[in-house]
Amino acid sequence: MKKKHAYLILAHNEFPILRKLITLLDDNRNDIFIHFDKKVNNLPELFVNNARLFVLENRVDVRWADVSVVEAELNLFENAFHKNAYQYFHLLSGVDMPIKSQDEIHQFFDKHDGKEFIGYYQQDNKIEIKRKVKRFHIFPKSFRKNNGLINISKKLFRSLHLVLQEKLNIERNSGTNFKKGTQWVSLTSDFVELIIKKRKEIEKMYSNTFCPDEIFIQTFCWNSDFRGNIYNKQDEGLGCMRYIQWVDNQIIDWRSDDFDKLVSSPYLFARKFSSKDLNIVNLLVNHFSVNQ
C-alpha cells in the first residue's frame, strides 16, 4: 500500500502561483488541504485530476506576526490528521513550489521515514526571542497597521508597554528553551498528533507574542521526545528541505534565470515565487510534467 502525504497550504493571494503549485502536487499519493485567509472573499477555482483537494471551512482571519497564523496552521494539521493516515504532513505557503518530482519526494521521505524536517536558525537570537515571546504584546492583530490615528496610538502604547516590561524585568514563559526557524516544515504523523493534543497549551503560550509561527514548532519539537528525530539541526535550509533566498533579512523571489540552480539543488521545495515572473513557475511545471 502506498504511503500518502498531506500537503497543507496557507494561501491569501497570488492565486496563479497557487494553481501551478497544485498542478505539481496533483498525484494520487497526495491529499491537498488549503486554508484561505478569512479576508479572501472570492475563492479561486481549483482543479485536480489525481489528488484529493480539501478547502478548509474553519478559516482564520490571519494577521501578520500574530498567533492567528499559528491558529491557521493548527487548523490545517487538525483537519488533515482527522481525514486520513498520512506518512508526512508538508506545510507550504501558496507561493511555494516543489523543485523535485513527486517520485523523488516520496522516495526521499521513504528513505528518511520517521525524521522531522524542521529548520533551526543558527545564529544567536537570545535578544530576539526575549522580545518576541517573553514579553506581552498588546494589540497583536495590528502589528502591520501604521496608518490612522487609532493605529498610531496602538503602536505607541505597544512600545511603551514593552519598555515598561523591560524596566520592570517582567518576563513570561521564562522556563521554556525557545528555538526559531522558518515556519515551513514536513512532519510525521506521530509528531502532528502530539501537536494537536497540546493545541490549547500552544495557543495560550503564544497569545500576545510576536511572530510565533517562526518559533512554536521548533520549540515544541526541541523540548519533546521528538528532538532526537530532527533530520538536521545544523543547517536551517537542509533541516526543512526548503530553498529560500535571504538578502538583508528579506526573502527574494525566484526568477527565470534561477531555474538550473533550483532543480540542481539538494532541496525539495522552494519559496517564494511571484506572478511578476510566472515564467520560472511554468518552467518548473513543464520540467516535472515531462519528467514524471
Side-chain angles (χ1 to χ4, degrees), residues 21-67:
L21 168 60
I22 289 173
T23 296
L24 289 184
L25 301 180
D26 189 10
D27 185 289
N28 59 17
R29 294 167 290 185
N30 301 332
D31 286 348
I32 303 167
F33 297 80
I34 305 178
H35 175 279
F36 287 102
D37 190 322
K38 197 172 184 178
K39 293 185 288 295
V40 177
N41 294 319
N42 299 311
L43 301 186
E45 287 189 289
L46 303 170
F47 303 97
V48 289
N49 294 314
N50 302 298
R52 294 194 302 171
L53 176 65
F54 304 94
V55 176
L56 268 62
E57 294 182 1
N58 51 335
R59 294 161 60 199
V60 176
D61 178 6
V62 177
R63 303 298 181 96
W64 180 79
D66 176 45
V67 72

Side-chain angles (χ1 to χ4, degrees), residues 52-254:
R52 294 194 302 171
L53 176 65
F54 304 94
V55 176
L56 268 62
E57 294 182 1
N58 51 335
R59 294 161 60 199
V60 176
D61 178 6
V62 177
R63 303 298 181 96
W64 180 79
D66 176 45
V67 72
S68 55
V69 183
V70 173
E71 291 169 355
E73 290 181 22
L74 291 172
N75 283 356
L76 281 166
F77 283 121
E78 205 165 69
N79 273 264
F81 184 82
H82 292 302
K83 181 65 68 175
N84 200 355
Y86 298 106
Q87 181 186 16
Y88 272 94
F89 297 73
H90 307 287
L91 182 64
L92 303 174
S93 84
V95 291
D96 295 354
M97 296 289 285
I99 51 175
K100 294 290 184 288
S101 70
Q102 284 301 309
D103 282 346
E104 290 173 294
I105 290 171
H106 280 263
Q107 287 165 10
F108 177 88
F109 286 104
D110 283 344
K111 181 179 179 181
H112 300 289
D113 195 15
K115 294 295 184 181
E116 307 299 340
F117 293 85
I118 304 169
Y120 282 85
Y121 184 70
Q122 298 300 304
Q123 307 303 317
D124 180 37
N125 59 3
K126 292 184 179 66
I127 294 174
E128 180 185 2
I129 288 292
K130 180 177 282 191
R131 176 176 63 88
K132 288 184 172 181
V133 292
K134 293 192 174 185
R135 303 295 186 209
F136 191 93
H137 293 261
I138 58 176
F139 311 119
K141 291 190 180 297
S142 57
F143 282 129
R144 228 176 196 172
K145 292 182 177 179
N146 296 314
N147 298 325
L149 182 60
I150 292 176
N151 291 319
I152 292 173
S153 299
K154 286 181 178 179
K155 188 175 182 180
L156 176 61
F157 277 117
R158 184 187 299 119
S159 298
L160 291 173
H161 193 252
L162 290 171
V163 170
L164 181 61
Q165 291 176 78
E166 183 75 29
K167 294 293 185 184
L168 297 176
N169 197 29
I170 296 172
E171 186 174 292
R172 62 188 294 204
N173 301 321
S174 58
T176 302
N177 182 12
F178 286 100
K179 299 291 181 180
K180 69 158 284 189
T182 178
Q183 75 186 92
W184 315 108
V185 295
S186 295
L187 306 177
T188 64
S189 181
D190 287 343
F191 186 49
V192 168
E193 183 178 19
L194 183 61
I195 289 174
I196 292 169
K197 285 181 179 178
K198 299 292 185 179
R199 175 170 185 161
K200 289 184 178 179
E201 294 175 29
I202 291 169
E203 290 176 334
K204 182 179 179 181
M205 173 178 283
Y206 292 100
S207 64
N208 295 94
T209 60
F210 184 78
C211 293
D213 53 295
E214 301 174 347
I215 297 170
F216 91 96
I217 288 178
Q218 279 77 6
T219 299
F220 191 76
C221 188
W222 194 264
N223 294 288
S224 76
D225 292 338
F226 287 87
R227 178 174 171 177
N229 297 341
I230 297 169
Y231 176 66
N232 187 320
K233 302 183 184 75
Q234 289 75 43
D235 186 303
E236 184 176 4
L238 288 175
C240 61
M241 295 305 289
R242 267 72 172 174
Y243 200 0
I244 305 173
Q245 290 191 112
W246 288 96
V247 176
D248 297 328
N249 266 350
Q250 297 291 325
I251 298 178
I252 305 302
D253 294 341
W254 294 105

